[in-house]
Amino acid sequence: MMVRVRVPATTANFGPAFDVIGIALALYNEVEVEPAESTEVEIAGEGEEILAATPSNLVARAALEVARAAHRRTGFHIRCRNRIPLGRGLGSSAAAIAGGLVAANAALGNPLPAEAVLDLAWKMEGHADNVAAALVGGAVLVDASAGRITWTRIIPTWDAVIVVAVPEFSVATTEARTVLPARVPLSDAVSNIGRTAQLVVAMLTGQVELLRTALADTLHQPYRRALVPGMDNVFEAARDAGAYGAALSGSGPSIVAVAPGAQAHGVGEAMVDAFARAGKRAKHMVLPVDESGAVAARI
Ligand code: HSE
């Protein structure tokens, strides 16, 4: 059976909710998968010049994980159409993993339940916020602290849009995690707990004004500042242009803002200008929240 999966980009952390909140965005990669004797990969779009079109490709590795977990001896022919920019904090690796897993599972007749797919995705990615949102869509709250994942999903009810400024340079998540401290002051943890609670209330009730304080963070952004030239100035430019708040998208370098719809493009341009003042070219996108996650269709 040949299937096509559409899998969304994701923005993680959203300020204070480090490794806990991922939000799916309406920017999609497509993965086509068909079981075959050997594994072959074709890639078009973002990353086509640098991604390995071999079985070591992340989409292929995810597909082969499904075959292994389902005790099937098979390879896959895989075709990727990529639109999510690589290494920018928009969940390109989560999309590759979620896309490969869901497509291979569907192509084999869904031998793995959804929980097993999420578990594999989490183990491949190392943290669960992006992969969970890429799999189920919406804003997903994950807890992986007890060695297994529990999650819940929210569709933000606020009357606002998400604006993403995407610079041309990339940051590897592995590097952006090595700059983080193993221990943090209790006051920093307490501050993030309070802000994450405000963020969730803002999503559930639509009290978007809460984002004026809720998007600040003390657990990861201050340590990642050195990897993202202009970070604080981009946050400030977004707020000055009318955004409720702004935050690093995942581990960066993209920056995500929440703004009233009428101000969205002004906020995006202000963020792009602020990146330019730091010597970095960028573009902006206004992206609705994706509510579907990774969806498989037979072709
Ligand atoms: N929560 C992860 C991190 C997301 O901040 O490292 C990576 O995109």
Side-chain angles (χ1 to χ4, degrees), residues 112-192:
L112 303 183
E115 309 84 69
V117 172
L118 175 56
D119 202 55
L120 280 177
W122 168 43
K123 286 181 178 137
M124 289 188 75
E125 176 86 331
H127 49 92
D129 44 1
N130 293 97
V131 286
L135 285 168
V136 303
V140 182
L141 283 62
V142 289
D143 174 30
S145 56
R148 60 185 198 83
I149 300 187
T150 54
W151 61 273
T152 187
R153 180 174 175 271
I154 300 172
I155 301 299
T157 57
W158 55 41
D159 182 15
V161 295
I162 293 179
V163 188
V164 190
V166 187
E168 277 187 352
F169 67 100
S170 61
V171 168
T173 298
T174 42
E175 187 192 353
R177 291 181 82 84
T178 58
V179 300
L180 303 181
R183 293 172 184 277
V184 295
L186 183 62
S187 57
D188 286 356
V190 170
S191 145
N192 270 51

Side-chain angles (χ1 to χ4, degrees), residues 4-10 23-31 44-46 80-85 90-92 95-96 99 133-138 285 287-295:
R4 180 183 297 137
V5 167
R6 190 185 79 156
V7 59
T10 45
I23 303 179
L25 300 173
L27 173 69
Y28 301 98
N29 284 356
E30 280 163 15
V31 181
E46 293 285 341
C80 303
R81 170 82 202 149
N82 292 345
R83 297 188 188 87
I84 305 169
L90 289 172
S92 60
L135 285 168
V136 303
M285 297 187 265
L287 295 173
V289 172
D290 162 86
E291 298 184 15
S292 311
V295 180

Side-chain angles (χ1 to χ4, degrees), residues 10-14 17-21 88-94 125-130 171-174 176-178 180 220 224 248-252:
T10 45
T11 182
N13 305 327
F14 226 64
F18 176 70
D19 275 1
V20 166
I21 290 184
R88 310 296 164 80
L90 289 172
S92 60
S93 65
E125 176 86 331
H127 49 92
D129 44 1
N130 293 97
V171 168
T173 298
T174 42
R177 291 181 82 84
T178 58
L180 303 181
H220 68 107
R224 289 170 162 172
L248 210 50
S249 182
S251 57

Side-chain angles (χ1 to χ4, degrees), residues 224-238:
R224 289 170 162 172
R225 176 180 286 125
L227 301 174
V228 185
M231 182 184 86
D232 294 302
N233 292 338
V234 177
F235 292 165
E236 200 181 320

